[in-house]
Each structure stands twice: as structure tokens, then as C-alpha cells.
Amino acid sequence: MENGDTIIGDSWQNELVIIPNPGTTNEYYLFSMGETSAVPQKGFFYSKINMSLNGGLGRVVQKNVRLNTFRNADCVTAIKHGNGRDWWAISKYSTNNTNFNRTYVYLVTNDSIHSPIIQNLNDATDGDVQRIIFNSNGTKFMQINAAGYMAEYEFDRCSGIISNPQIIFPEQSGPYNRTFWNGAYSPDNSKFYVSTELYDLSINDTSWLVQYNLISSNIPGSAD
């Protein structure tokens, strides 16, 4: 694919997501984030790719269009709108100095990216190492972070509104005895799998894969 200069994206996982441009058959949006000084700019960006160009190999026709200008956490994700056509692209504010747990939800329609719905969830810090993981039908997502926070939220795929937090593990202030890195729902959404390890990787390089039963009355106690 022809692309010219580099598309902005930082070094952590979950800093890029690609979705189709609604109403088209060969155009895609690539959303990316700038988190640290490792990239020229902080912010949330999109680039548009037309796969019908360059002999079918594709070409970037718009590059690094900036949607916000602040440091973003590495949990860029997207979920299809409830109408089955449009999409929601989601990014998170990042700083070590606030507890907003602030989320930006952008509606992506045919050739338009709308101003974000900004929500303060107010139950965790706005750090870099975050994950937002949707269940199989897009009605809920799990948010985890490196400070041991785990909470499940409901997501309205028609309005883009996040609600009804169920905090499974509150965030730790240190010393940390758990650190969540990534996760996944089971196909029937009854279980959640998370990778975790001790925070100081230079001392302990052992990691675990833990299963939690989401229909248990004691989700933390269901760890397997």
C-alpha cells in the first residue's frame, strides 16, 4: 500500500483500529493515537485508505487528520452502531494527574466523523496503559488498566452512551499486587479472561491467565 510518510501510532498495543467507511465498498478509516514523545504529536488521528487505487493494493488518500490534541491512552477501539451501518470509534484521555477516567466516543457516518461524546466515568486514573474490550454483541465492555482496575460498563450502540459501571476490582494506589494487561470475553459473554503479572517486570517475569465468571455473585472470588 502506498502511504508516503508514516501514519502516527505509538509503541503500545491497541493504538490502531481500522473500520470501513460506512456506505462504501473500498474505503477504510485507520484510527491511531499519539501517546508519548516517541511520536511527533500527541492526539487522536484518522487516515483514509482507498483500496481501489494503486492497482488494488490501496493508497492513503488522507493522512493523520487530527481529532484531538492531548495525550491518549493505548486503548483505541471501535464498535458498529446499532443501525448496522455506522460505527463508533473510541479513545481515552491520558494523564497521570487526574481521575476523570474520561472517554471520547466518535460517531463515524458516511464520509463524516462527528464531534465526540465526552464522558467522565470518575472511577479510575487517566493513565496510559488501558484496555477497552467489548463483548460479542457490543452491549458491554470491560475496562482494565495497569493499576489493577477492572470494571464492566453497558454501552448503548444507538446513542454512544456509557452507563451502569460494575467495578470488579478498584484501582490500586500502590504498591500494586496485580496488573492487568489485556483480556477477552468468552463467546457466550459469561466469562472474562485477563492476563496479569507483577508490576515490576525486572524482578518477576511470571505472568498468569485468569478466568473470571461474570455470572457469579462474587466475580473476584471466581478467579481460576
Side-chain angles (χ1 to χ4, degrees), residues 2-221:
E2 292 183 353
N3 56 27
D5 297 334
T6 303
I7 292 174
I8 288 178
D10 219 329
S11 57
W12 290 100
Q13 300 178 33
N14 299 87
E15 77 274 15
L16 301 172
V17 67
I18 299 173
I19 62 174
N21 182 8
T24 71
T25 57
N26 51 26
E27 285 191 346
Y28 296 84
Y29 285 107
L30 186 153
F31 290 93
S32 59
M33 44 72 67
E35 173 189 83
T36 69
S37 59
V39 295
Q41 300 175 1
K42 298 173 185 176
F44 190 49
F45 305 84
Y46 74 85
S47 298
K48 186 183 290 186
I49 301 164
N50 189 324
M51 291 302 299
S52 68
L53 302 178
N54 192 25
L57 298 177
R59 177 176 296 142
V60 177
V61 293
Q62 286 183 282
K63 182 173 57 184
N64 295 335
V65 180
R66 203 170 188 180
L67 294 170
N68 65 46
T69 61
F70 47 79
R71 185 182 179 105
N72 281 243
D74 58 321
C75 56
V76 176
T77 190
I79 192 75
K80 185 168 274 191
H81 194 285
N83 61 21
R85 178 188 65 249
D86 302 324
W87 284 78
W88 301 102
I90 301 171
S91 72
K92 283 195 86 275
Y93 179 70
S94 179
T95 177
N96 293 324
N97 302 317
T98 66
N99 293 285
F100 297 141
N101 196 10
R102 181 173 292 171
T103 303
Y104 289 73
V105 181
Y106 296 83
L107 175 62
V108 183
T109 59
N110 185 20
D111 250 358
S112 296
I113 300 175
H114 299 256
S115 297
I117 301 168
I118 304 171
Q119 295 179 254
N120 290 339
L121 307 176
N122 293 317
D123 54 9
T125 56
D126 295 285
D128 290 338
V129 186
Q130 309 256 346
R131 300 288 183 264
I132 290 177
I133 302 140
F134 275 94
N135 66 5
S136 63
N137 56 25
T139 59
K140 294 184 178 182
F141 68 79
M142 194 73 74
Q143 182 188 349
I144 57 178
N145 71 20
Y149 173 82
M150 181 188 293
E152 189 176 49
Y153 294 86
E154 293 184 10
F155 183 77
D156 189 322
R157 291 175 55 206
C158 293
S159 68
I161 298 299
I162 300 165
S163 63
N164 298 328
Q166 180 182 10
I167 298 177
I168 299 170
F169 288 104
E171 192 172 76
Q172 303 165 105
S173 59
Y176 301 154
N177 58 19
R178 64 179 182 270
T179 295
F180 296 134
W181 291 106
N182 221 325
Y185 280 87
S186 63
D188 65 359
N189 300 319
S190 67
K191 299 176 180 66
F192 187 73
Y193 301 90
V194 67
S195 59
T196 181
E197 53 192 311
L198 295 184
Y199 189 75
D200 191 342
L201 303 185
S202 65
I203 296 174
N204 191 315
D205 63 356
T206 302
S207 61
W208 296 268
L209 179 64
V210 184
Q211 171 190 280
Y212 292 99
N213 184 351
L214 298 180
I215 60 177
S216 169
S217 60
N218 180 9
I219 296 176

